[in-house]
Structure formats: C-alpha cells, structure tokens
Amino acid sequence: MTIQGNLGALTGAVDPEDITIGELLAALDGAADLPLVFSYDGQDVKPGYHVTEVKAGRFEALDCGANPESWTEIFIQLWDVNEDRAHMPAGKFMKIIGKVIEHVGLDRGAKLTFEVSDGVQPMQLHRAALPRIEGGQVRVALSPRPASCKPRDRWLQEQNSCPAPSGAQPCCG
C-alpha cells in the first residue's frame, strides 16, 4: 500500500515514477520508525547503505530544439554496502535531508535524482517512485533515469491535454 501519512500532498505528482524531494519527505513523514529500503535493478540496497552526499544544483541549458531550459535538482548519493546493521529508519533519512535543508536550502519541488553505486560499479542515475509500505518496511523503487527530448515531451503533453471533438482534428495539431 502507498504510505497514507501525507498522501494528499502527493496527489499532484506529475509522474508517480519521478517524485520530488518534497513528495518523498511528505510520504515518509508518517513512517519514521520503519526501515527505509531502496530497490534498483531488481534488488534491495544492502542493510548498511549510506547516504554519502546530498547536493543541490541549479541548471541552465539549451535543449535539442535550442530552447532555454532551467531547473533545480537534488542528488542523493547512496553507497550500497553492507555493514552488518539493519536498514536505515525513514526518520534517520529525513534527519539527514533536514540537515541539508538547514545548511544548503533545498527546493522541495526540485527534480530528485539518486546516484547509486556499490563502490565498485560506476554510479547509476535513478528516479524514485512513490514510497510504499510492504512487510513493515518503507520501500522506494528506483528506476534508471531515462534521457528525453524536451521539445518532443512538451509536444506529447500538449497532444494528450487537448481532447478533439468527435470526428474533428485535435486542437493541438
């Protein structure tokens, strides 16, 4: 089941497979004592995983259509190691992020990216899905962050948001 604590705040999530840091923290709020288990590539992170770095960045770029783009992004680095302990409680994770919010200031609506590595394999970039409670754990599925063409994505979004009257051409054509 999806975490019920502050689920109302999550109903505005644009993509339930790509949540913001604010959506993640809101969802974890009611489950501070439960173990927080991230999964990626069909496996769970090891019980001794560390949050080794949290960084915030503001990016200015041109997309492939020469359109200016700007966004903020939060990167949470997970070191997937086993150190003979239980998975970190969700509350401890929230405290780590809270310290970063105090020191650096984080945009709660920023894009959220997880960098995951076991210290041997190269870091992989992942997005996070809405947390779920399963078997007494808070589980967050991470999936590879895909590349995208922003002009195409905007065009597709426009196509999906403009219903055509029956038998007529779409309004966004």
Side-chain angles (χ1 to χ4, degrees):
M1 84 169 100
T2 303
I3 294 176
Q4 297 300 314
N6 287 317
L7 191 57
L10 299 177
T11 57
V14 174
D15 180 352
E17 296 296 319
D18 200 359
I19 62 174
T20 66
I21 187 66
E23 291 167 334
L24 177 60
L25 293 174
L28 296 178
D29 192 37
D33 294 332
L34 295 178
L36 179 58
V37 180
F38 295 94
S39 61
Y40 68 102
D41 291 342
Q43 63 188 16
D44 292 343
V45 292
K46 295 173 186 75
Y49 76 89
H50 288 261
V51 174
T52 57
E53 188 172 75
V54 179
K55 53 192 169 203
R58 175 146 181 81
F59 298 90
E60 303 290 332
L62 286 178
D63 67 21
C64 56
N67 301 299
E69 297 284 342
S70 64
W71 71 95
T72 55
E73 192 162 352
I74 307 301
F75 294 87
I76 299 176
Q77 193 173 102
L78 298 179
W79 187 30
D80 188 10
V81 295
N82 191 354
E83 294 201 343
D84 290 330
R85 61 176 181 218
H87 284 95
M88 178 186 305
K92 181 176 180 180
F93 178 86
M94 291 170 37
K95 286 180 184 176
I96 292 168
I97 302 303
K99 284 183 182 181
V100 177
I101 289 171
E102 288 175 18
H103 182 71
V104 175
L106 297 178
D107 174 1
R108 289 179 179 263
K111 182 177 188 172
L112 176 59
T113 297
F114 282 87
E115 302 173 324
V116 184
S117 174
D118 61 3
V120 176
Q121 296 298 314
M123 242 185 301
Q124 300 172 6
L125 301 180
H126 296 276
R127 58 189 181 167
L130 292 172
R132 300 177 63 75
I133 294 179
E134 296 175 9
Q137 300 175 323
V138 178
R139 302 189 60 80
V140 179
L142 303 178
S143 60
R145 177 162 300 290
S148 70
C149 169
K150 290 179 181 170
R152 177 188 166 276
D153 294 345
R154 281 190 293 272
W155 179 83
L156 287 172
Q157 187 174 11
E158 288 173 5
Q159 298 304 306
N160 291 331
S161 65
C162 295
S166 68
Q169 291 294 322
C171 64
C172 299

